[in-house]
Amino acid sequence: MNKIKCQCGHENPFGTVLCEQCGRPQTEDAKKSKLIDMRYEGSARRSQTYKRSIVDKIWNFFSSVKVGINIIIAVLATSAIGTIFPQKLFVPATTEADILAYYEKHYGFAGTLYYKLGFYDMYSSWWFIILIGMLGASIIIASVDRVFPLYKSLKKQRTKRHTSFLKKQRIYAEGEVADSNSSLAKAEKKLKELRYNVKTEDGALLAEKGRFSRWGPYVNHTGLIIFLFAVLLRTLPGFYVDETIWLREGETRAIPGAPGYYLKNNEFIIETYSKEEDAAFGQAIDRVGTIVKNYQSDVTLYKDAEDGIPGRTDQMEFVKNYSIVVNDPLSFDGFNVYQMDYRLDELKSMTFQLTEKETDMSFGEFTVDLLNPERLYELNEGATVELKEYFPDYDGVENGEPVTNSPIPNNPAFIFKMVTPSKPKGEISFVAIRQTLETEVNELKASFVSAETRDITGLVVRKDKTLYILLLGGIIFMIGVAQGSYWNHRRIWIQKSEGNALLVAGHTNKNWFGLKKELDKVRIYADLPQHEDRRDSGFGSDEMKGDKQ
């Protein structure tokens, strides 16, 4: 697009509102307005200049402050929805069916709807990540669209400005003085005492301080971009791990999120308070029954051998033994394993005895491992028991078939086929806790003898490589907040006119009272004409509505 040539001869980029050289208004709106809009120093912004191609439209969309605010509102609203019910990570279930059952059981229809709409895994969902990406794009594009034109304008600003620029400032004064040269010299001295950077040129003076505060919002944006970048990094493998592992006593399992590492639960220990040990807990123990004093998991950490095949548990290499206690995690290779929960007395195995009903003759006992049951059990006298079906968490019959709620042995049930020399074809029996069903009257029965239980420890595996990036983003953000909040950019122009007349103008991005107070000190010391706040006088109040930056 064609550049705009000012009357002073300077060529400005298309879309410039105020001449970069002299400050003359370049657009019709700026020429007609009583006060000029000093946002971004009247420089040309890409979003207000190019509007034709698809790239321009995307750029203009994301550079809009209104669009950015709407995206922030959408992120906040979805984040709030994600806190209504517990997220997937905090649900004590492993399969999708179990997770759905949990929400349905505890929260009814609302919980089911919450699950169906995908809110149960809100912060890892693709659409929430897209929202975060859109927010990052909005912050980056809006910042670039403004910061580069602002930087160029502030860097190129001239000491001497056209009178039309000065007369359209909010703080303005014009009048005769006894000696304009003496007033300029005194003003320069006083402004330096007030810590202004002062430049003079051909009967004109520019005093400026606090320019660095103008970059506060962009330092804010930089901190936010780093913060959002760290949030997006959490979706990549290896940067963030937050997994749950339930480990039974004596069990060895691969650690989720930590490939090549394995954990064995040697023993789970729980200690409770007693009245004899601490009388202070006596009343509480009488009221609630049991108060846990300590619970811990004594574990062994293994890893894949260097020359072994990954995943082969028989080729594991010992790393260390450790006792995981609350707030004292097992640490290795950037991972931390925390003690978070436990379950006591889970069924491990059940022992049955095969007998003949009429004679009460026993063919021996057999034990069913409830987590890894065998299919065939050989007993005395050539008798065998075949496990036809196994239901770890039996929950009744649906459509004529037994059903199980989960693979956890909370309420085990079995279908046995019992074979003896006298019954070579075998007999079928359905055996559950306190329940035995037969399709026809059997001569054999599998009687419950005993059960073995064990405790389960609930551990959380965590690794966060983004923590320091998040911290860095937060620190930079707060620096930007302080930079933009506690300092302000102030400028004062003093310029000779005809004879001994002086023109005085002032501008700040905020705290106009402070600017006027300092200008009063300079006016009294240097005998400058009395300035006027045109907003207080109603001059150009409509134009001033958008002058905040």
Side-chain angles (χ1 to χ4, degrees):
M1 293 185 179
N2 296 329
K3 291 188 175 183
I4 302 174
K5 190 171 183 179
C6 180
Q7 295 179 25
C8 68
H10 181 73
E11 290 188 346
N12 298 283
F14 183 82
T16 301
V17 178
L18 302 175
C19 176
E20 296 173 337
Q21 182 76 24
C22 67
R24 280 189 179 93
Q26 301 298 304
T27 65
E28 291 301 320
D29 290 340
K31 291 176 182 178
K32 293 177 181 178
S33 65
K34 295 180 180 179
L35 296 177
I36 53 177
D37 185 353
M38 290 288 287
R39 287 180 301 177
Y40 319 113
E41 307 301 303
S43 56
R45 288 164 49 201
R46 191 186 193 285
S47 61
Q48 297 177 341
T49 306
Y50 302 98
K51 301 181 180 180
R52 293 183 179 181
S53 68
I54 185 67
V55 174
D56 298 335
K57 292 178 180 179
I58 294 173
W59 182 276
N60 297 345
F61 175 81
F62 282 108
S63 67
S64 170
V65 174
K66 291 182 179 179
V67 170
I69 292 174
N70 288 331
I71 294 174
I72 291 173
I73 291 173
V75 171
L76 292 176
T78 52
S79 299
I81 292 172
T83 63
I84 294 176
F85 299 134
Q87 287 289 290
K88 176 182 177 181
L89 290 174
F90 305 101
V91 172
T94 54
T95 66
E96 292 296 319
D98 293 341
I99 294 172
L100 174 59
Y102 176 87
Y103 282 107
E104 186 175 6
K105 177 182 178 181
H106 289 82
Y107 308 110
F109 174 75
T112 302
L113 184 63
Y114 194 80
Y115 176 88
K116 295 290 186 183
L117 293 176
F119 295 148
Y120 74 103
D121 195 17
M122 173 77 74
Y123 309 112
S124 298
S125 62
W126 61 268
W127 53 270
F128 185 80
I129 293 173
I130 288 177
L131 268 180
I132 296 297
M134 290 178 65
L135 178 58
S138 175
I139 293 172
I140 293 172
I141 292 175
S143 299
V144 171
D145 188 61
R146 292 162 173 80
V147 71
F148 286 107
L150 177 63
Y151 171 76
K152 289 191 295 183
S153 295
L154 291 176
K155 185 178 180 181
K156 293 180 181 179
Q157 63 177 325
R158 299 295 185 264
T159 303
K160 192 169 186 177
R161 293 298 185 107
H162 192 262
T163 55
S164 62
F165 174 83
L166 300 178
K167 289 181 177 180
K168 289 179 179 288
Q169 294 297 325
R170 173 173 162 177
I171 303 295
Y172 181 70
E174 180 179 0
E176 294 281 341
V177 296
D179 186 347
S180 59
N181 290 327
S182 175
S183 294
L184 274 175
K186 289 181 178 180
E188 180 181 357
K189 180 181 177 181
K190 188 64 176 178
L191 287 166
K192 286 181 178 179
E193 290 179 4
L194 295 173
R195 301 180 182 277
Y196 279 84
N197 295 317
V198 181
K199 294 191 297 182
T200 58
E201 176 189 331
D202 192 20
L205 177 151
L206 168 61
E208 180 183 22
K209 74 175 178 179
R211 183 192 292 187
F212 75 99
S213 69
R214 295 289 290 275
W215 313 121
Y218 307 106
V219 175
N220 272 345
H221 293 176
T222 301
L224 281 174
I225 290 166
I226 293 173
F227 193 91
L228 294 176
F229 176 70
V231 171
L232 293 177
L233 278 180
R234 288 185 165 210
T235 63
L236 299 179
F239 281 94
Y240 181 74
V241 175
D242 192 346
E243 299 284 351
T244 301
I245 176 173
W246 289 92
L247 204 58
R248 296 168 175 85
E249 287 181 316
E251 184 181 21
T252 302
R253 290 183 60 188
I255 301 177
Y261 285 95
Y262 305 86
L263 203 62
K264 180 181 180 181
N265 182 5
N266 298 316
E267 184 182 9
F268 179 76
I269 301 171
I270 185 168
E271 300 174 2
T272 59
Y273 286 101
S274 66
K275 295 181 182 180
E276 294 76 15
E277 289 178 333
D278 197 332
F281 287 91
Q283 294 181 353
I285 292 172
D286 290 337
R287 186 172 64 252
V288 300
T290 301
I291 299 177
V292 175
K293 183 178 184 180
N294 172 56
Y295 59 95
Q296 70 181 55
S297 301
D298 292 342
V299 300
T300 301
L301 178 67
Y302 298 95
K303 68 176 182 179
D304 284 329
E306 293 183 3
D307 55 349
I309 300 174
R312 287 284 298 272
T313 56
D314 58 339
Q315 297 180 352
M316 295 185 302
E317 183 178 301
F318 171 81
V319 179
K320 64 178 175 179
N321 292 315
Y322 198 81
S323 294
I324 305 175
V325 185
V326 177
N327 296 327
D328 186 12
L330 165 65
S331 300
F332 65 95
D333 197 20
F335 293 90
N336 290 299
V337 182
Y338 293 88
Q339 180 71 62
M340 294 295 290
D341 204 351
Y342 61 89
R343 297 174 187 167
L344 300 178
D345 300 327
E346 182 193 67
L347 287 169
K348 177 185 179 183
S349 64
M350 295 179 71
T351 300
F352 300 88
Q353 184 181 53
L354 181 63
T355 59
E356 194 176 68
K357 291 181 180 179
E358 185 176 347
T359 63
D360 216 20
M361 173 184 173
S362 173
F363 293 93
E365 297 178 353
F366 63 97
T367 300
V368 180
D369 186 336
L370 298 179
L371 291 177
N372 188 25
E374 298 179 8
R375 284 297 173 183
L376 186 65
Y377 302 89
E378 297 182 357
L379 306 179
N380 302 329
E381 308 294 335
T384 60
V385 176
E386 181 183 357
L387 179 59
K388 304 290 289 185
E389 296 286 347
Y390 171 46
F391 309 96
D393 195 4
Y394 174 64
D395 191 34
V397 178
E398 290 184 6
N399 300 322
E401 295 289 336
V403 294
T404 181
N405 277 332
S406 70
I408 300 174
N410 295 324
N411 184 31
F414 316 88
I415 296 179
F416 292 130
K417 181 179 180 180
M418 303 167 290
V419 179
T420 63
S422 61
K423 288 289 183 180
K425 292 184 178 180
E427 295 179 340
I428 302 296
S429 177
F430 177 84
V431 180
I433 296 177
R434 297 182 181 179
Q435 184 180 8
T436 300
L437 300 177
E438 300 174 346
T439 55
E440 57 184 28
V441 179
N442 292 334
E443 296 180 9
L444 303 172
K445 68 175 181 179
S447 305
F448 172 73
V449 176
S450 63
E452 183 182 357
T453 63
R454 59 181 171 182
D455 301 329
I456 311 174
T457 182
L459 306 173
V460 172
V461 184
R462 286 181 180 157
K463 180 180 183 179
D464 193 353
K465 286 186 175 181
T466 66
L467 188 60
Y468 293 106
I469 303 176
L470 290 169
L471 180 61
L472 175 64
I475 291 173
I476 292 175
F477 177 83
M478 293 309 299
I479 290 173
V481 170
Q483 185 177 342
S485 300
Y486 297 106
W487 288 270
N488 46 80
H489 183 208
R490 299 177 182 179
R491 280 171 292 176
I492 297 173
W493 295 270
I494 305 175
Q495 202 164 295
K496 287 184 181 181
S497 185
E498 299 177 357
N500 279 326
L502 287 180
L503 303 180
V504 181
H507 183 268
T508 181
N509 60 329
K510 59 180 177 290
N511 190 11
W512 290 88
F513 176 79
L515 175 64
K516 288 186 286 184
K517 189 176 179 181
E518 289 184 337
L519 195 51
D520 279 334
K521 295 178 181 178
V522 178
R523 177 183 61 80
I524 295 171
Y525 183 80
D527 190 26
L528 300 179
Q530 177 66 49
H531 55 269
E532 174 189 17
D533 187 342
R534 294 176 171 183
R535 189 189 68 171
D536 296 340
S537 62
F539 182 85
S541 57
D542 291 339
E543 287 82 355
M544 291 309 300
K545 290 179 180 178
D547 196 33
K548 294 180 181 179
Q549 43 186 322

